[in-house]
Amino acid sequence: MLKKYKERIADIAVLLVLLGGLIYLHMAGAALVQRLGYIAFDHYNKIFPRDTDKPLLYPENGIAGVVIVDIDESSLQKLGQFPWPRTVLAEMVTQLKAMGARAVAFDIAFAEKDRTSPANLLALIEARRETEDDTTAFDLSVLRGLPDHDDVFAAAIAAAGNVVTGFVPADQPTPDMPVIHAGRFALTEPGPYLRSLPYFAATIEALSSVAAGNGSFYATPEYDGVIRRVPMLIGHATEEGQRVYPSLSLEALRVALGEDAYRVAVDPDIGSGTGFGVTEISLLDTYSGNFYRFPTDSQGHVMVYYSGHRPQLYIPAWQILDGSAAEEAVRNKIVLVGASAIGLRDLRATPLDRDLPGVEIHAEIIEQILHGQHLQPQFFGKTEVELVEVLAILAGGVLIILFAPFVGA
């Protein structure tokens, strides 16, 4: 009698475990299936990395690809610690323009004024003399006659006409808000569907206002620390409504194409089944009359199709400044300025690399758009989630049918 009772308890426990599993799968639902999608994405990207030899989608526009001007260890050894005086960066912008760069995008936020400007140095010297009761006579007239470094940098940016400045999220209020240069065409406003951020560390307006573009280089890793998606658009709620900011990569490509605006496709119908929210972003290529189109998820994220780390994309910054870099390495290319030097570099994990400089992720995105190599924003969408749930319920039902006759036997 006791043995039969224990067997019945065990059978009931098996059925309860099966039922609990079905309930968990239904409640975990999209998150669980999304993780399966990420596993599929990573393995696909490892087995079939993006082919960098694929022809450009629209060669008529003359854009020859992407190159990274790298603030690396060798550049710090030659030019000193970073940040450099912005007169140096002004010289870099002027040189890159002369070398034929189609766009120059800084993966750097110039959120404060240059502390090495003559006026700032003069204020520091005078303050020190007052606090230390220093009566030593100095001729400071030379400093008073020198131009402000930010003014020099701003003049170089304005003269080049193809510079894109950048900004990142901040965790507290900041004095400057990002400037918007790009126009936007959308039948349905994308703002409500985007990830909205409250504060930004923005490039100072003296610089960003004279640039040709201004974009976010914000990206957050997934649950396992890997960057698979990057927002091409982000939102910011204001009293006047939702502001929409483009990414640095989107702005760099827009400026390189000479376009004033980008286009956003939005599906506002949650019951349509075709992709509720943002579905696509596009840029017109007037040279060929075609559009660069790339799919996004509902929040405007693009899935990055990685090719893997490529050292050949990098040019040390000092070689641009001293003129030793080959002009061919820059001509008709989109130039990204970033840092790989120890202490400066922004390293990110990807499906192909454990430590990839963040600036190279922007390069990957721009290249996949230029070559028309896109991955769908999710390997498992709404329909696939529902299919997995149905199959799980059917499997659970079959198991219950098989076990049920033995319950109470």
Side-chain angles (χ1 to χ4, degrees):
M1 180 72 177
L2 183 60
K3 181 179 179 181
K4 187 175 182 180
Y5 178 75
K6 288 182 177 180
E7 289 175 351
R8 177 171 293 184
I9 292 296
D11 292 336
I12 292 173
V14 170
L15 295 180
L16 289 175
V17 169
L18 290 172
L19 180 61
L22 292 176
I23 293 172
Y24 171 77
L25 180 61
H26 181 74
M27 294 182 68
L32 181 63
V33 176
Q34 186 180 57
R35 291 195 177 192
L36 294 175
Y38 288 158
I39 293 172
F41 172 84
D42 291 352
H43 282 80
Y44 180 88
N45 205 165
K46 289 175 182 177
I47 297 170
F48 304 106
R50 186 172 59 80
D51 181 7
T52 58
D53 293 326
K54 183 179 178 181
L56 293 162
L57 198 59
Y58 306 125
E60 298 92 336
N61 58 44
I63 298 176
V66 182
V67 68
I68 296 170
V69 171
D70 188 16
I71 302 170
D72 62 350
E73 287 296 328
S74 66
S75 297
L76 297 187
Q77 291 172 9
K78 290 180 177 291
L79 300 170
Q81 68 179 24
F82 198 83
W84 297 326
R86 289 182 186 159
T87 49
V88 175
L89 299 177
E91 184 182 346
M92 179 188 294
V93 165
T94 301
Q95 183 69 8
L96 288 170
K97 177 66 175 180
M99 295 173 74
R102 288 289 289 264
V104 179
F106 282 91
D107 186 29
I108 302 167
F110 302 105
E112 298 175 342
K113 293 183 177 181
D114 188 346
R115 289 176 294 177
T116 67
S117 285
N120 294 334
L121 292 177
L122 183 62
L124 287 173
I125 293 171
E126 292 178 340
R128 182 172 180 177
R129 291 176 65 181
E130 290 177 4
T131 57
E132 297 184 3
D133 195 24
D134 187 351
T135 58
T136 305
F138 290 103
D139 182 6
L140 301 177
S141 59
V142 174
L143 278 179
R144 292 190 179 96
L146 294 175
D148 181 85
H149 289 182
D150 286 313
D151 290 344
V152 175
F153 192 23
I157 290 172
N162 65 347
V163 174
V164 178
T165 51
F167 57 91
V168 290
D171 56 6
Q172 56 186 321
T174 53
D176 290 301
M177 289 302 296
V179 173
I180 297 178
H181 288 284
R184 183 178 70 256
F185 296 114
L187 295 178
T188 301
E189 276 301 305
Y193 307 100
L194 305 177
R195 179 174 295 183
S196 185
L197 302 174
Y199 312 118
F200 299 95
T203 291
I204 59 174
E205 192 170 345
L207 302 176
S208 61
S209 63
V210 296
N214 191 40
S216 161
F217 45 93
Y218 165 66
T220 54
E222 307 294 347
Y223 69 95
D224 56 357
V226 175
I227 297 287
R228 298 181 182 89
R229 305 179 299 162
V230 172
M232 301 301 282
L233 303 172
I234 58 174
H236 173 66
T238 68
E239 294 180 357
E240 293 76 26
Q242 186 84 345
R243 291 169 68 88
V244 176
Y245 297 110
S247 69
L248 189 75
S249 52
L250 181 58
E251 279 288 82
L253 184 55
R254 179 187 67 80
V255 170
L257 289 169
E259 291 299 310
D260 295 326
Y262 57 89
R263 291 160 173 76
V264 185
V266 177
D267 184 354
D269 183 7
I270 195 170
S272 68
T274 60
F276 174 61
V278 181
T279 60
E280 181 186 86
I281 300 173
S282 59
L283 278 166
L284 175 63
D285 173 32
T286 53
Y287 298 90
S288 67
N290 297 305
F291 282 92
Y292 285 104
R293 304 179 185 274
F294 48 97
T296 70
D297 67 10
S298 60
Q299 291 185 306
H301 295 80
V302 66
M303 297 296 289
V304 187
Y305 193 179
Y306 290 99
S307 61
H309 177 53
R310 285 176 292 154
Q312 63 269 30
L313 287 180
Y314 292 76
I315 302 174
W318 67 266
Q319 292 184 6
I320 299 296
L321 289 164
D322 76 356
S324 62
E327 185 175 303
E328 188 63 30
V330 171
R331 187 186 302 122
N332 287 324
K333 291 185 179 179
I334 296 172
V335 178
L336 300 171
V337 182
S340 71
I342 298 172
L344 298 177
R345 56 185 174 182
D346 170 32
L347 297 179
R348 301 300 185 105
T350 76
L352 303 186
D353 297 281
R354 294 184 61 184
D355 297 304
L356 186 72
V359 65
E360 197 168 342
I361 296 179
H362 300 306
E364 294 271 19
I365 294 171
I366 294 171
E367 284 191 338
Q368 74 181 63
I369 295 172
L370 287 174
H371 293 268
Q373 299 166 293
H374 303 298
L375 297 174
Q376 288 303 312
Q378 49 191 4
F379 272 60
F380 291 89
K382 177 183 175 184
T383 303
E384 287 79 6
V385 169
E386 293 173 346
L387 177 61
V388 170
E389 289 181 354
V390 169
L391 291 176
I393 292 171
L394 287 175
V398 169
L399 291 174
I400 290 174
I401 291 171
L402 293 175
F403 276 96
F406 299 98
V407 178

